Amino acid sequence: MAEDFKYSFKAEEREALSLVVYNAGFQKCPPGYGWGPGVRDHYLLHYVVSGRGDYEIEDRTFVLGAGDAFLAWPDTPIYYRADEAEPWEYYWVGFAGPSARLFLAQTPFDRRTPVLHPAAGETLRQALLDIYKARGSGYSSAVRMAGYLQAMLGLLIENGPRRGEEALTAYARQGAAFIQRNYSRPIGVEEVARQAGVSRSYLYRAFQEEFGCSPSEYLCRHRIQRACQLLRHSTLAVGAVATSVGFEDPFYFSRAFRRETGLSPSAYRNGGGRGA
């Protein structure tokens, strides 16, 4: 039996990238070696190159061998353990960032399918090794590792059925979350698309599928909803309300508010919007 070994890298700082590697490496485990039960604060992908082991996630147990891959989601209880007689050797990468979920949504992995036998095989192992080889401290190393990570995820997407509808949902929700956090700033659709990591046209399609409106309509409606709350529950002047929810022009705010609610901001405040 080959001797046990472990080569691993853990990022000292987690850079503010849309896709960032937290850790990477490869290991020949000793018999019975395991991790957990516990949760991670990031995604964690393992690819088994030899031996066997068990993976437990959400009250399900999978017996894995060479050629299998398993994925852990953030904040999800997991446990994995090498076989006593034939302990596994695997390669892994831990990662996160706003784009992580979006890329994974286009792979065959999902909550019902946390284990795969990817067709990429040896190519996938080499892709994981490339991530480890690109390791280092500082922003430039984080960018290089993220590039190799994206290439690895591309292999999974290329070798499995695409989940088009799930991808649209993920991009739309990513864009909506950005709007909800930043509606008070003078943001536009270009910035929302950039934060979601897609083109304007793809973001438009995603919002139409998920919300039945364009990104700009969603942004305007969210701002008006917040304005309604301020008009009902604060003493701010109408102009101050407009500024607070991201409208730079108070006259445009009034027109948009009337278009959305059927009332002027003042009429809404004076009782027309009660119960709305």
Side-chain angles (χ1 to χ4, degrees):
M1 182 180 294
E3 290 187 4
D4 309 330
F5 57 80
K6 181 177 182 179
Y7 296 89
S8 66
F9 164 80
K10 185 175 182 180
E12 295 181 1
E13 294 187 13
R14 297 175 174 181
E15 302 290 349
L17 299 172
S18 63
L19 193 63
V20 56
V21 173
Y22 282 15
N23 51 74
F26 53 100
Q27 180 176 9
K28 176 70 168 67
C29 298
Y33 174 87
W35 187 91
V39 300
R40 304 285 193 174
D41 64 350
H42 55 275
Y43 295 98
L44 184 63
L45 174 72
H46 286 76
Y47 177 66
V48 183
V49 297
S50 66
R52 296 185 301 167
D54 297 335
Y55 177 46
E56 296 180 12
I57 179 172
E58 297 180 328
D59 299 321
R60 290 181 294 166
T61 300
F62 300 86
V63 179
L64 308 180
D68 289 329
F70 60 98
L71 180 68
W73 281 259
D75 303 317
T76 301
I78 59 170
Y79 173 61
Y80 50 95
R81 179 177 178 274
D83 187 75
E84 291 285 354
E86 298 179 55
W88 53 17
E89 176 185 344
Y90 51 51
Y91 288 65
W92 80 85
V93 61
F95 58 98
S99 295
R101 177 172 56 87
L102 306 179
F103 282 121
L104 286 169
Q106 299 182 69
T107 74
F109 280 116
D110 61 26
R111 293 283 186 169
R112 295 164 298 180
T113 314
V115 171
L116 300 173
H117 192 89
E122 170 62 20
T123 308
L124 181 59
R125 184 200 69 83
Q126 185 60 52
L128 288 163
L129 180 59
D130 287 340
I131 297 171
Y132 174 76
K133 287 182 175 179
R135 69 193 184 279
S137 60
Y139 189 77
S140 60
S141 295
V143 171
R144 284 198 303 271
M145 287 188 292
Y148 283 112
L149 171 59
Q150 186 167 329
M152 185 276 294
L153 292 170
L155 284 173
L156 292 174
I157 295 169
E158 188 176 67
N159 285 275
R162 296 187 179 219
R163 302 183 181 277
E165 291 184 4
E166 291 182 19
L168 284 173
T169 295
Y171 286 119
R173 291 181 179 175
Q174 180 76 13
F178 179 77
I179 287 173
Q180 291 164 18
R181 293 193 303 269
N182 296 275
Y183 68 90
S184 61
R185 297 196 298 107
I187 60 173
V189 176
E190 283 288 354
E191 186 175 359
V192 178
R194 186 166 60 251
Q195 289 295 324
V198 293
S199 66
R200 281 184 61 126
S201 59
Y202 195 93
L203 187 73
Y204 179 88
R205 179 185 167 198
F207 267 70
Q208 287 288 352
E209 287 288 332
E210 185 69 10
F211 304 116
C213 66
S214 69
S216 58
E217 290 170 333
Y218 185 97
L219 172 60
C220 185
R221 289 175 185 174
H222 187 76
R223 284 172 166 166
I224 297 301
Q225 288 171 4
R226 294 293 295 133
C228 287
Q229 293 173 354
L230 290 174
L231 289 168
R232 285 198 302 266
H233 304 298
S234 80
T235 58
L236 288 174
V238 170
V241 169
T243 302
S244 297
V245 298
F247 286 95
E248 297 180 315
D249 183 345
F251 296 104
Y252 177 72
F253 166 68
S254 294
R255 291 197 301 273
F257 193 95
R258 184 182 292 275
R259 186 171 61 246
E260 191 67 28
T261 67
L263 298 168
S264 70
S266 297
Y268 185 93
R269 165 169 275 168
N270 292 330
R274 297 195 186 283

